[in-house]
Amino acid sequence: MRVALILEYSGERYHGWQSQPACISIQSELETAISRIANCRVGVVAAGRTDAGVHALYQVIHFQTPIWRPMSAWVRGVNALLPDDIAVLWAAEVDETFHARYCAIERRYLYYLLNHPIRPGVSQRKVGWFHKPLELEKMQQAAAMLLGEHDFSAFRTAECQAKDPVRNLTMLEITQNDHFFIFEFRANGFLHHMVRNIVSSLVYIGHGKYPPGWMQLLLQNRDRTLAAPTFSPYGLYLAGISYDAKWNLPPFNQSPLATIMLNANRSLIKV
């Protein structure tokens, strides 16, 4: 049987999604737990590989197993064997042709940024942080220049293995709630470090280092060395994967984490 799972995890303890020698990863923890339930070695395929320190609110994976188990075993049973910072939220048997990565139509990321003179304590490693004041309107003007299909070479790491740097960015929305900025990205796919590199360049624009039009120049020049350094991974969340309705996967619903982050803002002392 082929099974699809939806899971969430905190990435701060892990060296990213992908299994690596002598490193703890989300994939290795999940495969170990699933293999124990299946009583055989099971490999899993994810919709997207998150980097070290990056979190997920809605990650989709699939795996193949010769052993039948009730869906509760793939949720409660696997969760009983996983570390506390990884949780399976949903499971269902899917058609043999379903593929978590290749059947995905759109991916969604959220970036939570605390803009405050004092670094975070309780939300440490759950949000990004920048200490200088940011102007929302300037960042929104620059973000609008990135919408649509573009060559995003200026915003990918040198280690990016994608053969084609062209992506279709369908949403880049920036909202502010007092000291918090939330960046929402939606695209047919993302290059390695693309979201974090865009956020860092937007932050440069937001605090006045460059005007909004600088973003257009970065796109045109396609030179990674001209853009801002890669921003912290800790505020980044894989927040949704969209599929054709025929696969019957549940849609992403806003996580309670968003409310938690914004409520945490109320405890900040005005400086």
Side-chain angles (χ1 to χ4, degrees):
M1 63 189 302
R2 178 164 294 204
V3 178
L5 303 182
I6 295 174
L7 56 146
E8 66 177 21
Y9 50 81
S10 173
E12 58 191 274
R13 292 198 308 118
Y14 301 94
H15 287 77
W17 162 265
Q18 191 170 6
S19 295
Q20 303 172 56
C23 292
I24 183 173
S25 71
I26 307 293
Q27 183 180 15
S28 60
E29 294 288 343
L30 188 62
E31 287 181 343
T32 298
I34 292 175
S35 296
R36 287 183 62 185
I37 297 296
N39 289 326
C40 64
R41 180 63 181 166
V42 174
V44 304
V45 176
R49 299 173 181 175
T50 51
D51 294 328
V54 176
H55 317 292
L57 304 174
Y58 188 111
Q59 170 73 282
V60 178
I61 68 104
H62 80 262
F63 61 90
Q64 197 83 12
T65 172
I67 305 299
W68 184 89
R69 295 284 186 269
M71 289 303 110
S72 60
W74 303 121
V75 180
R76 295 181 182 275
V78 172
N79 280 341
L81 301 171
L82 284 171
D84 291 342
D85 49 9
I86 306 173
V88 177
L89 306 178
W90 175 91
E93 184 174 2
V94 290
D95 187 84
E96 292 289 327
T97 58
F98 174 79
H99 193 285
R101 179 182 176 187
Y102 296 130
C103 291
I105 298 172
E106 185 179 65
R107 291 164 175 83
R108 179 188 191 216
Y109 279 91
L110 297 173
Y111 197 97
Y112 292 92
L113 175 65
L114 174 64
N115 183 213
H116 193 268
I118 309 301
R119 66 167 178 82
V122 172
S123 56
Q124 181 66 236
R125 300 198 174 193
K126 293 293 188 295
V127 298
W129 172 60
F130 189 75
H131 62 290
K132 296 180 181 179
L134 297 173
E135 292 188 44
L136 175 63
E137 186 174 347
K138 287 184 177 180
M139 292 193 292
Q140 289 174 330
Q141 291 174 7
M145 300 174 188
L146 298 175
L147 293 175
E149 190 171 82
H150 301 286
D151 182 328
F152 284 95
S153 293
F155 304 103
R156 70 166 173 172
T157 179
E159 293 77 28
C160 182
Q161 298 178 356
K163 296 179 181 180
D164 186 357
V166 175
R167 295 292 185 271
N168 185 16
L169 189 64
T170 56
M171 174 184 281
L172 204 182
E173 183 176 288
I174 309 170
T175 55
Q176 182 180 5
N177 185 300
D178 204 357
H179 291 292
F180 272 99
F181 288 85
I182 301 176
F183 302 75
E184 180 174 353
F185 294 78
R186 295 191 185 193
N188 60 343
F190 291 90
L191 303 170
H192 192 207
H193 288 179
M194 177 176 160
V195 172
R196 291 162 58 194
N197 290 335
I198 290 176
V199 168
S200 62
S201 294
L202 288 170
V203 167
Y204 268 28
I205 291 168
H207 78 85
K209 186 176 177 66
Y210 295 104
W214 179 60
M215 190 65 76
Q216 188 67 49
L217 293 176
L218 294 178
L219 267 182
Q220 294 172 351
N221 290 326
R222 305 175 185 176
D223 187 345
R224 173 71 192 100
T225 64
L226 299 178
T230 304
F231 216 69
S232 165
Y234 295 125
L236 183 58
Y237 294 78
L238 174 58
I241 314 290
S242 296
Y243 294 92
D244 190 287
K246 69 180 182 180
W247 302 118
N248 294 317
L249 269 71
F252 170 81
N253 292 316
Q254 186 70 26
S255 169
L257 179 68
T259 303
I260 293 170
M261 291 298 181
L262 294 177
N263 285 344
N265 194 34
R266 298 172 183 171
S267 68
L268 294 171
I269 299 172
K270 306 298 181 182
V271 178

